[in-house]
Amino acid sequence: MPNYTLYYFNGRGRAEILRMMFAAAGVKYMDKRFEFNEWDKYRKDMPSMCVPVLEMDGGMRMPETMAIARYLAREYGFYPKSNMEMMRCDYIADCFYEIMHDYMRYYHWKNGRFRFNIGGGNMMNPGMAGGDTMSPNYDNYMQWRYMNTCHRVLPFLERTLDMHHGGKHFFMGEQMMWCDMMCYCCLENPYTENQAMFSKFPKLMSLRTRVAAHPKVSAYLKSRCNTTW
Amino acid sequence: MPNYTLYYFNGRGRAEILRMMFAAAGVKYMDKRFEFNEWDKYRKDMPSMCVPVLEMDGGMRMPETMAIARYLAREYGFYPKSNMEMMRCDYIADCFYEIMHDYMRYYHWKNGRFRFNIGGGNMMNPGMAGGDTMSPNYDNYMQWRYMNTCHRVLPFLERTLDMHHGGKHFFMGEQMMWCDMMCYCCLENPYTENQAMFSKFPKLMSLRTRVAAHPKVSAYLKSRCNTTW
């Protein structure tokens, strides 16, 4: 087994699915976390200037959350076997990631992070110094985008779960797969912020409870770092 | 082989990678295209109210571009064999898709499409009728987001290609894989709009030429519908 190091901010975010998969597989790894004010120090050494990144044996560094998740899923038995089932698992996972992606952009924007990335100014007034003069209207766009994705994707996922045994097991049957862990991780902050919205998706909510009850996931959830996102 | 129907707008967009893979595999499918003004008619019958969607044998409909692409890649030999190589192919494909995703949001926004989706008004003035009163400042955000992704991802992809045989073959060696076709499809409009930006990535540009020269891809490119996006 390679020596794995996972690089990400000190938050759950896009990396949490990877941490949960490591835990569910019982695989040890170095969980390298850093704060936002350390990002400039790390960024230039990350393959596409983005995290999460998975490093193997202190050498090669791999970017892209979902590519890393798929690698771990194949390696540690969280992918189904047939091509049709893999496709089902893939589109379920991708749907959850759509929510995660739009939520993260919304959340970080709302909290004023990464705005400084806009080269030579800010996007509304390219000649101005960036960072602190953004219009709050962008928050509306980010929120709309995120909510729109929820309204589009969640009913489909609820129906999809219901298709197998009325949604009483996992998405792919009796075995927990990585798309089930995506359901847990991608909806953590969304659920905490807006429980009313999720009352319309009781099967997805029960699935999250089943994932959290998996012995290794349950132990992980009790011992993990407690962060706000 | 199932009877495939692919649903998408009358444009290349996110569906083009799927059409190209069908062509490269020599697999027949029904290429169901519709115009923007027909979208309301189709939307409610699409699994997550989004396209592309792949239908099999007139029955099950599968969403998510990249899940469909992976299915086709496994089915028709455009995925490498080992887990490590699959991960490499995955993160390369995902990087190109990041560009595609941000480009499509920018492009459609710029052209005034999908703004009407904002329920009950528009995002800047939620009480107003939506559709035609959006601030052009959002265009700046969309453009910045897209350009930022290009600046972050393209240098990494150029280096990654260069790692194997100085970038003279395909990303994974001598065989064309689906990540190579992603390089062609995701950069079509970006390259046409801004050739100067791509002059810094000569290896990626040569790779696109090699993909286009693949006998089946070449025949496809000559005969396909000619659209602006």
Side-chain angles (χ1 to χ4, degrees):
Chain A
M1 197 179 293
N3 275 310
Y4 294 115
T5 303
L6 180 64
Y7 291 89
Y8 195 63
F9 295 104
N10 183 25
R12 284 177 272 105
R14 296 176 200 253
E16 194 62 11
I17 178 64
L18 309 174
R19 297 187 187 116
M20 184 176 280
M21 288 170 82
F22 275 126
V27 170
K28 286 208 161 50
Y29 68 106
M30 164 106 61
D31 188 25
K32 179 64 198 160
R33 292 162 179 259
F34 42 82
E35 302 298 330
F36 282 112
N37 62 19
E38 299 175 284
W39 178 225
D40 270 351
K41 199 173 74 189
Y42 285 96
R43 186 165 52 144
K44 66 183 186 316
D45 294 325
M46 296 299 143
S48 58
M49 291 186 279
C50 213
V51 279
V53 157
L54 184 66
E55 182 183 276
M56 289 197 191
D57 295 323
M60 250 185 87
R61 292 182 171 180
M62 267 75 62
E64 292 294 339
T65 315
M66 295 294 270
I68 301 169
R70 288 186 165 89
Y71 164 82
L72 295 177
R74 285 185 296 258
E75 197 74 8
Y76 300 111
F78 299 120
Y79 241 125
K81 297 278 180 250
S82 77
N83 196 4
M84 279 299 294
E85 285 181 318
M86 289 173 91
M87 175 164 99
R88 179 178 154 98
C89 189
D90 275 345
Y91 67 65
I92 291 166
D94 287 355
C95 280
F96 283 119
Y97 194 69
E98 279 203 76
I99 294 175
M100 163 65 79
H101 182 73
D102 288 331
Y103 179 80
M104 292 304 293
R105 284 193 172 176
Y106 161 58
Y107 182 83
H108 285 318
W109 191 268
K110 190 174 60 173
N111 288 287
R113 290 170 195 137
F114 301 120
R115 300 185 185 190
F116 57 84
N117 277 342
I118 303 164
N122 70 46
M123 71 189 70
M124 297 194 60
N125 294 290
M128 293 174 66
D132 53 2
T133 51
M134 305 311 302
S135 160
N137 285 330
Y138 283 104
D139 297 350
N140 295 349
Y141 168 73
M142 301 290 182
Q143 184 171 26
W144 164 77
R145 178 56 83 179
Y146 155 63
M147 290 301 286
N148 188 261
T149 301
C150 286
H151 293 321
R152 198 168 53 67
V153 158
L154 289 171
F156 165 65
L157 290 167
E158 181 84 356
R159 287 197 308 276
T160 301
L161 180 56
D162 186 54
M163 265 182 217
H164 281 9
H165 305 287
K168 292 204 179 84
H169 297 307
F170 294 101
F171 267 112
M172 304 304 303
E174 295 192 9
Q175 286 237 298
M176 185 176 76
M177 296 286 154
W178 76 285
C179 58
D180 303 300
M181 290 187 260
M182 286 292 286
C183 177
Y184 190 91
C185 297
C186 296
L187 302 185
E188 278 202 85
N189 270 41
Y191 174 71
T192 308
E193 286 182 13
N194 188 349
Q195 300 190 14
M197 177 168 76
F198 286 94
S199 64
K200 285 178 282 177
F201 309 106
K203 287 169 202 292
L204 292 174
M205 293 303 99
S206 304
L207 174 64
R208 294 188 75 240
T209 308
R210 282 193 292 285
V211 170
H214 179 284
K216 284 181 176 158
V217 171
S218 158
Y220 169 69
L221 292 176
K222 281 180 198 128
S223 68
R224 70 176 175 178
C225 295
N226 191 5
T227 57
T228 53
W229 64 283
Chain B
M1 195 178 294
N3 275 310
Y4 295 115
T5 303
L6 179 65
Y7 291 88
Y8 195 64
F9 296 102
N10 183 25
R12 284 178 271 105
R14 297 177 200 251
E16 195 61 11
I17 177 63
L18 310 175
R19 296 188 187 117
M20 186 177 280
M21 288 170 81
F22 276 126
V27 170
K28 285 209 161 51
Y29 68 106
M30 164 107 62
D31 188 26
K32 179 65 197 159
R33 292 162 178 256
F34 41 82
E35 301 299 330
F36 283 112
N37 62 18
E38 299 175 285
W39 177 225
D40 271 350
K41 198 174 75 188
Y42 285 96
R43 184 165 53 145
K44 65 182 189 316
D45 295 324
M46 296 299 143
S48 58
M49 292 186 279
C50 214
V51 279
V53 157
L54 183 66
E55 182 183 275
M56 287 197 195
D57 294 324
M60 251 184 84
R61 290 181 173 184
M62 267 74 64
E64 292 293 340
T65 315
M66 294 293 269
I68 302 169
R70 288 185 165 89
Y71 164 82
L72 296 177
R74 286 186 295 258
E75 198 73 9
Y76 300 111
F78 300 119
Y79 241 125
K81 296 280 180 247
S82 78
N83 197 3
M84 279 298 294
E85 284 180 319
M86 289 172 90
M87 181 191 197
R88 179 178 154 97
C89 190
D90 276 343
Y91 68 65
I92 291 165
D94 287 355
C95 280
F96 283 119
Y97 195 68
E98 279 203 74
I99 294 175
M100 164 64 79
H101 182 72
D102 287 332
Y103 178 81
M104 291 304 293
R105 285 194 172 175
Y106 161 58
Y107 182 83
H108 286 318
W109 191 269
K110 190 175 61 172
N111 289 288
R113 290 171 196 136
F114 301 119
R115 299 184 184 190
F116 58 83
N117 277 340
I118 303 163
N122 70 46
M123 70 190 70
M124 296 196 61
N125 294 290
M128 293 174 66
D132 53 1
T133 52
M134 305 311 300
S135 160
N137 285 329
Y138 283 102
D139 296 348
N140 295 349
Y141 168 74
M142 301 290 181
Q143 185 171 27
W144 165 76
R145 177 58 84 178
Y146 155 62
M147 290 301 286
N148 187 261
T149 301
C150 286
H151 292 322
R152 198 168 52 68
V153 159
L154 288 171
F156 165 66
L157 289 167
E158 181 85 356
R159 286 197 308 276
T160 301
L161 179 58
D162 186 54
M163 267 182 214
H164 281 8
H165 306 286
K168 293 205 180 86
H169 297 309
F170 294 102
F171 267 112
M172 305 303 304
E174 295 192 12
Q175 286 238 296
M176 184 177 76
M177 296 286 155
W178 76 285
C179 58
D180 301 301
M181 289 185 262
M182 286 291 286
C183 177
Y184 190 90
C185 296
C186 295
L187 302 185
E188 278 202 86
N189 269 41
Y191 174 71
T192 307
E193 286 182 14
N194 188 348
Q195 299 190 15
M197 177 166 79
F198 286 94
S199 64
K200 286 177 282 179
F201 309 106
K203 286 168 203 291
L204 292 175
M205 293 304 99
S206 302
L207 173 64
R208 294 188 75 240
T209 307
R210 281 193 292 284
V211 170
H214 178 284
K216 285 182 176 157
V217 172
S218 157
Y220 168 69
L221 291 176
K222 279 179 199 129
S223 68
R224 70 175 174 179
C225 295
N226 191 6
T227 57
T228 54
W229 64 282

